[in-house]
Amino acid sequence: MYKYILEKLGDFDWMALFALLTFFFVFTLSAYLIFIKDKSEVARLSNLPLDDCEDLLPQ
Amino acid sequence: MSEKTTLEHFSYDNKIVRDFGIATTIWGIVGMLVGLLAALQLIWPDFNITQYFTFGRIRPLHTNAVIFAFVGNGIFMGVYYSLQRLLKARMWSDLLSKVHFWGWQAIILAAAITLPLGYTSSAEYAELEWPIDLGIALIWIVFGLNMFGTIFKRREQHLYVAIWFYIGTWVTVTLLHVIKNLEIPVHMWNSIPVFAGVQDALIQWWYGHNAVAFFLTTPYLGLMYYFLPKAANRPVYSYRLSIVHFWALIFIYIWAGPHHLLYTSLPDWAQSLGTVFSIMLIAPSWGGMLNGLLTLRGAWDKVRQDPILKFMVVAITAYGMATLEGPLLSIKSINAISHYTDWTVAHVHVGTLGWNGMLTFGILYWLWPKLYGTKLFSTRLANTHFWMSTLGTIFYTVPLYWAGWTQSMMWKQFTADGFLAYGNFLETVTQIIPMYGLRSLGGAIYVLGVFLMAYNLIKTARQGSLIRDTKASAAPLQDIPMTDGVSWHRWIERRPIQMLVASALVVLIGGIVEIFPMLVIDKNVPTIASVQPYTPLELEGRDLYIREGCVSCHSQMIRPFRSETERYGEFSKSGEFVYDRPFLWGSKRTGPDLHRIGNKYPHSWHYNHMLDPESMSPGSIMPSYEWMIDQDLDTEYTFAKIKVLKYLNTPYEFTADEQVQKAINAQARRIAKELNEQGIEQENLEDKEIVALIAYLQRMGTDIQADGVVNNN
C-alpha cells in the first residue's frame, strides 16, 4: 500500500498545500499575538462602544 | 498619558444617520415588494406584466434593491453613527456625507430604471451596466475618503474592532468591484467583459460569494460588535475572540467562491480549494456568533422584554445557521443535491431575512428614539413586528428547503428499467408550486412587518424632534510613542492605513492563488478545435437572452451525473465556453438546463413556445415573450460588439459593418424560410427579434456535435 502512496506523493496540489500552510501560519501567529495582549488594555478596548463621550444622552 | 489635557467640544452628525435610516426603510419595503411580486410570478405567470416586469428582469431588481439599497443604506446608517462615536469625532466632511447619501440613492434609482429596461450585464449581483459601475466606484471612494478622513482626525487612539470590519469591507469591496467589472463598453448601456467562459465564471463567483461576505457579512459584523454591546449595555464577551474572528474571517472568506461552481467545468483543484476553505469558515463564523450571543450572558432576562435584543439575538442565530449551512452546502456530495434548486434560495434568505433584515430592524428601533430624543412609539408593535419577521422567515425558508430537496430527488430518480422517472422537467416544477405559495405567504408576512416598523418609526419621529447634532467632549489625540514592549497588534490597531494595507494583503492572497493560475495557465481551459465564435445573428440572439434574464431560470452547465446526461445530453466541457462573454452558466434551474437545447426542437417549437409557453408545455410557469415576435431586431451595434470581441482575441474575420449585416440577413432569411416551411406565417419575420433568439438557441451546445459544426459554419 505504501508503494502507491509514495508513487502518488509527487501529485499533490501545491496550491492547496500552500493555501493550508498560509492559513495555518497567519491564524497561529495572530492567535498567539492576540492572547499575549495585556488584559487591562483588552478590557478598555472592549468598553469603547460604551464610552461615546456624549454630553447629552437623550432618553 | 499626560496628566492633564483640555477637553475639545464637538458634535456628532445625526442627520446623515437619520437620512440613511429612512432610505434603508423605504428601499427595504420596495425591494421586498419586488421580491414578493417575483415570488407570485412563479405561481401565476400572469403577474409577468409587460416586457419590463417579467421575472427575468425584476429578479435582479429585487436582489440589487435588497442588497445594495436596503442593506447598503443600513450599513451606512450604522457606520455613520458608530464611527463618529468610536472615534470621538464628527464625520470628516458633511459635504462628502451628503454626496455619499444622494449619490448612492441616485445609483439605486438608475438601477431601478435600467434593469426593467433590460440593460444588464447578467452577472449575478453585478448586473448594472458600466456607467452605473463607474458611479458606484466614485461614491464608494467618497465614502472611503470620508471614513478615512474621520479616522485621521479621531480623538481615540485605538480603532475598535467594528472599525476594522468597516476598513476590511471598504478595501475588499473596492477590489471586488474593480476586478469583476473589467469590461469594454460597446455603447452607453452595453459592455463586454474582459474574461470569457470558465475564467469569467471563476471571477464572477469570486466576486459573487464575496459580495455576500464583504457586503452582507463583514460590515454587519462590525455593526453587531458596536450595536449589540450598546443595546445590551455591556461589552462584547471576548474582545480577543473578535480579533481572531476578524483576521480569520477575511483571510478565509475570499477563497470560498468556487463552491458555487462544484461539478462544473471549473478545474478540480479550484473546486477543492473552494470546498476546503468553505468548511474552514465554520470556525471564525461560529466564533463570531458565539461572541455575539455570549455578550448577552447574564442579560437574557432583558432579551425576554426588549424587542431590540430579540431582533439581535435572532439575527445572530440566523448568521450562525447560515454560516453552518453554507459550508455544508459546499461539500460536493451535498452540493450535488442542493445546487440549482430552491435550497440555495432558502439558504440565502436565512442570511438576508434573518441576519441582515433583523439586525437592521433591531438597530433602527434602537437608533430612532436616540435620534429623536424620545421613546419608541410602541414596544408592543415592535414585538409584533419581531414575531412577524421570525414567522415570515420560517414560512419563507422551510417550504423552499422542502421544494429544493423534493425537486432534486425527482431530477435524480430512475425507474427500475433505468429510465428517468420524471423525464418531463415540468413535472418536477408543478410538484413544488404549493411550496412556492407558502414561500410567498412567508414573504408577505415579512414585508407587512416592515410596514409596521415604518409606521412605528414615523410615529416615534413625530412625538420627538430630530437632534441634528449631538454635542460631545473628548481630549485631543496624543501621540503616544511606541515602546519596545508594545505588541504588533497594538501597533497596527493605531494605524488605519497599515490596517488597510494588511487587510488588502490578507484578502489578496486568496484571490491571487485562485484566480491568477486560471488566467495564465492554458491547460486549465483545454480548447476544442470544433468550437467556433457565434455568428453575428447568434450574438444578437444571445444578447436578447441576456436582456430577458433567461439566465435567472435556466442554467447552461450540465454536470457529469447520469441523471443530467440522460436528461440533457453530453456534460459541459470548459473548452465549449471560450467565446462566451459573459458566461451564462446560471445558478438556478426553475426551468431546465439549456446547454444542449440546440437542434433538439424545430424552429417552430421555439417560436410557439416563446409566444405562448403553455401551448408547447402545458402547465409551464414561464411567461410569454410575445414582444419578441413583433419587435424588430436592432443590429446597429453588432459590428461594434464584434470589434470589441476581436480586440479580445475572438477570431472573427469581419472587417466592415456591411459584411456583418449581410451575414445577419442571410442567416435570418434562412431561419425565417424554415419557420415558414414549418407552418409559421408572419410578415417580415426575418427582421424580428425572435429569429435571432432562435438562431442562438439552435446553436447552443452544438459545437461538439459533428453535424452542429457543419450547420453553423
Side-chain angles (χ1 to χ4, degrees), chain B residues 222-400:
Chain B
L223 300 187
M224 177 191 86
Y225 277 120
Y226 179 80
F227 286 99
L228 184 66
K230 291 295 275 187
N233 199 27
R234 58 192 58 228
V236 65
Y237 170 68
S238 167
Y239 193 75
R240 285 192 168 105
L241 184 54
S242 71
I243 301 174
V244 180
H245 183 197
F246 173 77
W247 287 111
L249 197 80
I250 68 164
F251 183 88
I252 301 176
Y253 241 135
I254 204 83
W255 300 73
H259 69 212
H260 290 258
L261 298 166
L262 299 181
Y263 287 113
T264 67
S265 305
L266 190 75
D268 271 352
W269 63 264
Q271 296 188 30
S272 301
L273 276 185
T275 299
V276 169
F277 278 89
S278 300
I279 292 167
M280 281 160 70
L281 261 177
I282 295 177
S285 302
W286 271 53
M289 174 193 71
L290 291 173
N291 210 4
L293 292 178
L294 287 170
T295 299
L296 296 166
R297 72 206 178 285
W300 286 95
D301 54 315
K302 276 176 79 179
V303 178
R304 285 215 304 272
Q305 314 291 331
D306 185 359
I308 295 168
L309 287 179
K310 283 184 199 173
F311 270 115
M312 291 186 176
V313 165
V314 175
I316 296 165
T317 310
Y319 170 65
M321 294 303 105
T323 54
L324 173 67
E325 189 191 10
L328 296 181
L329 290 174
S330 306
I331 297 169
K332 284 183 96 170
S333 47
I334 297 179
N335 193 272
I337 300 167
S338 73
H339 196 46
Y340 296 127
T341 74
D342 288 295
W343 188 342
T344 313
V345 184
H347 164 63
V348 167
H349 282 82
V350 169
T352 48
L353 299 178
W355 165 239
N356 297 112
M358 298 245 212
L359 196 66
T360 310
F361 305 148
I363 294 171
L364 278 166
Y365 282 123
W366 185 85
L367 268 180
W368 234 239
K370 302 264 180 305
L371 297 177
Y372 283 91
T374 183
K375 284 191 169 170
L376 187 66
F377 168 69
S378 169
T379 306
R380 203 187 167 96
L381 271 185
N383 270 315
T384 310
H385 177 203
F386 167 74
W387 284 110
M388 288 176 82
S389 297
T390 307
L391 283 174
T393 306
I394 293 170
F395 268 100
Y396 187 102
T397 53
V398 173
L400 281 194

Side-chain angles (χ1 to χ4, degrees), chain B residues 657-677:
Chain B
D657 191 24
E658 296 76 53
Q659 294 173 319
V660 171
Q661 298 299 336
K662 208 173 150 189
I664 289 174
N665 291 337
Q667 193 178 5
R669 272 200 299 273
R670 196 170 70 236
I671 293 172
K673 185 168 167 279
E674 285 164 3
L675 276 166
N676 272 315
E677 287 163 5

Side-chain angles (χ1 to χ4, degrees), chain B residues 172-247:
Chain B
T172 316
V173 169
T174 307
L175 206 67
L176 293 168
H177 182 70
V178 170
I179 295 177
K180 171 61 209 159
N181 292 301
L182 289 175
E183 55 208 8
I184 301 178
V186 172
H187 61 82
M188 186 69 180
W189 298 112
N190 184 259
S191 58
I192 292 176
V194 169
F195 304 109
V198 69
Q199 292 163 338
D200 190 30
L202 182 62
I203 300 276
Q204 159 61 26
W205 286 112
W206 172 74
Y207 163 87
H209 180 76
N210 288 305
V212 173
F214 289 91
F215 207 85
L216 299 178
T217 308
T218 53
Y220 265 58
L221 286 170
L223 300 187
M224 177 191 86
Y225 277 120
Y226 179 80
F227 286 99
L228 184 66
K230 291 295 275 187
N233 199 27
R234 58 192 58 228
V236 65
Y237 170 68
S238 167
Y239 193 75
R240 285 192 168 105
L241 184 54
S242 71
I243 301 174
V244 180
H245 183 197
F246 173 77
W247 287 111

